[in-house]
Amino acid sequence: MVFLPLTLLLLSFGSRDGAYAVQGNQTCSTADQRLQLGTYQFTSDCDAMWFCNSSSICDWKGCRRDQYPFGYWPNVTVPLRCPKGQFCPDEEDACQDVIPVGGACQLNRDDECEGPPDFKDLADHSGFGLNVNGSVCLNNVCMWANMTAGSPCVFENTGYTVYTTETEFIDIVSRDNCKLGLYCDGTSKQCMAQKDLSAACTADKECATFNCNASGVCDKPADTPNHVGSWVYIVVAVAIFGGMLVTLIGMFFLHRKQREADREKRLQYWREQNAFRQNILQMQETARNSLMSLPIGANGTNPNSQRNSLYSSNGGMGSDESQMPLTGGNKGSGLRHYVSDDGFHDDDGGVVMHSRPDPGRF
Ligand SMILES: *[C@@H]1O[C@H](CO)[C@@H](O)[C@H](O)[C@H]1NC(C)=O
Ligand SMILES: *[C@@H]1O[C@H](CO)[C@@H](O)[C@H](O)[C@H]1NC(C)=O
Ligand SMILES: *[C@@H]1O[C@H](CO)[C@@H](O)[C@H](O)[C@H]1NC(C)=O
Ligand SMILES: *[C@@H]1O[C@H](CO)[C@@H](O)[C@H](O)[C@H]1NC(C)=O
Ligand SMILES: *[C@@H]1O[C@H](CO)[C@@H](O)[C@H](O)[C@H]1NC(C)=O
Ligand SMILES: *[C@@H]1O[C@H](CO)[C@@H](O)[C@H](O)[C@H]1NC(C)=O
């Protein structure tokens, strides 16, 4: 494992982009191992599955840091993570025992350092990554985060490059060996109590919430979820149900127009049918009347007697039929009544629709 001084890191340039990543069993240069400028990600000549060993050849990695490592072939056994009391260095060559206080460690690798006896009190569980198990790696030296208020402290400022869509800027992260709830003041180099909400500040580390906002005031934590008032929920609910209701009503009126058009068509059809029926009845009536008006005495001598008897037998049937149209006529007048009814009371259309006889499909 090779320890890299920060000055050397800052002088190295370029990025790892796979194009010249060296495969296994091929030569590499340990001098090319470095942390990338701005992101401080470890890179080497060798591709993801290999590290550059001391004979400058890419060899299989001996351990892994990530739970889900990237870049391994599916047919290759991924190396294990290191057990408790050991750590996997940035190179991922092999597991090593944790380093005691004063030993050399890699940037931001608090986990490489041995924990203090009172690690339970010193350990940070805030999620801000202040220390690991009570130990910190500052300026590549292992120490414990045990400094109390007013005592001298060590700090390390690291500038990370932040890339946004418009611009990029440096975000300085300051780490120190003060106990939880304290920060290392840059000028006095002493541990000081972190400030509460709304206190004036110059850096995130000064605030207990780790959020010193643009107006230089300790703000609530940056990951605080936004809460909306209950009126927003009410407005949204009203909008949803209102939208549904408006749609339903709109559809009702839209379809009512169509319903009325259909009903108008049906009425017209029935008027026609009724008119036809009346015409036929009238014709029948006229024919019967003209038969009735013929003289009865001429019956025997009339050369048209055959035709006449034919007519009379027809007339018998006709009288049968005349009974039918009479009942039918009642129906017809009922229909006419309905028609006029409908014409006068448009609103009752729906009710009348149920009670009227089925006009059939058309
Ligand atoms: C190197 O080559 C040997 C023999 O082909 C092979 O067994 C070994 O896995 C290779 N090592 C690497 C790192 O690819
Ligand atoms: C470096 O890796 C190569 C390829 O796996 C291997 O043959 C060689 O023995 C390794 N050197 C050391 C010092 O481990
Ligand atoms: C694993 O698969 C890769 C292709 O994905 C192939 O090039 C390589 O030879 C295989 N390696 C072993 C050790 O089987
Ligand atoms: C924390 O450090 C103590 C003391 O070195 C050690 O006994 C313990 O196993 C460590 N805990 C973890 C989770 O590493
Ligand atoms: C605090 O930690 C340092 C190492 O960083 C250690 O030398 C010192 O003894 C510790 N002090 C106490 C009171 O534990
Ligand atoms: C900073 O935080 C204070 C307190 O929460 C707030 O009043 C102020 O508006 C914030 N300023 C900015 C720029 O966000």
Side-chain angles (χ1 to χ4, degrees), residues 29-304:
S29 168
T30 51
D32 287 344
Q33 297 185 130
R34 61 178 186 272
L35 299 181
Q36 265 182 328
L37 197 65
T39 63
Y40 300 98
Q41 186 191 12
F42 179 84
T43 87
S44 87
D45 289 344
C46 303
D47 210 347
M49 295 179 291
W50 302 286
F51 75 99
C52 197
N53 73 9
S54 51
S55 24
S56 288
I57 291 178
C58 286
D59 201 355
W60 296 112
K61 277 181 177 175
C63 64
R64 73 172 203 265
R65 288 183 58 197
D66 299 323
Q67 182 162 12
Y68 303 103
F70 176 77
Y72 281 83
W73 292 336
N75 55 359
V76 157
T77 311
V78 175
L80 298 174
R81 300 169 84 191
C82 295
K84 201 168 156 182
Q86 289 198 316
F87 69 91
C88 189
D90 287 348
E91 292 84 355
E92 300 188 315
D93 52 349
C95 289
Q96 296 180 24
D97 288 337
V98 287
I99 301 158
V101 164
C105 52
Q106 292 172 311
L107 178 74
N108 204 17
R109 290 297 305 274
D110 299 346
D111 61 312
E112 296 185 354
C113 301
E114 194 177 24
D118 52 347
F119 66 92
K120 276 186 182 138
D121 299 330
L122 301 180
D124 165 51
H125 303 291
S126 67
F128 288 116
L130 305 178
N131 65 54
V132 171
N133 200 22
S135 53
V136 285
C137 179
L138 299 176
N139 307 317
N140 297 107
V141 177
C142 276
M143 46 189 89
W144 292 336
N146 62 358
M147 289 301 161
T148 51
S151 42
C153 54
V154 177
F155 68 90
E156 178 186 26
N157 291 346
T158 314
Y160 291 87
T161 311
V162 179
Y163 300 93
T164 70
T165 46
E166 297 95 33
T167 178
E168 59 185 69
F169 60 93
I170 306 286
D171 178 39
I172 295 169
V173 173
S174 182
R175 313 189 69 233
D176 56 60
N177 63 342
C178 295
K179 283 176 110 165
L180 299 179
L182 308 173
Y183 73 95
C184 192
D185 184 65
T187 43
S188 68
K189 293 195 170 63
Q190 283 184 349
C191 287
M192 291 187 168
Q194 282 178 327
K195 296 163 185 172
D196 291 330
L197 219 61
S198 305
C201 58
T202 56
D204 286 342
K205 64 174 179 179
E206 296 176 21
C207 302
T209 55
F210 285 94
N211 186 16
C212 184
N213 74 11
S215 16
V217 175
C218 284
D219 211 340
K220 29 186 209 309
D223 60 355
T224 309
N226 271 337
H227 288 290
V228 293
S230 45
W231 64 271
V232 176
Y233 290 94
I234 294 169
V235 166
V236 169
V238 165
I240 289 171
F241 287 105
M244 280 160 58
L245 210 67
V246 165
T247 308
L248 282 176
I249 292 170
M251 295 302 264
F252 175 78
F253 281 110
L254 196 77
H255 285 187
R256 193 167 78 164
K257 265 189 189 167
Q258 204 178 342
R259 275 202 311 275
E260 274 164 7
D262 279 352
R263 193 170 57 199
E264 193 51 48
K265 268 192 221 158
R266 248 176 260 150
L267 282 180
Q268 211 163 350
Y269 175 80
W270 275 94
R271 276 192 209 106
E272 276 171 23
Q273 294 300 305
N274 213 33
F276 285 150
R277 185 185 191 85
Q278 293 309 315
N279 282 350
I280 289 166
L281 285 178
Q282 255 171 15
M283 275 165 65
Q284 224 170 17
E285 196 71 17
T286 326
R288 191 141 37 119
N289 285 347
S290 62
L291 276 179
M292 292 294 197
S293 64
L294 281 175
I296 298 167
N299 207 4
T301 56
N302 200 324
N304 291 339

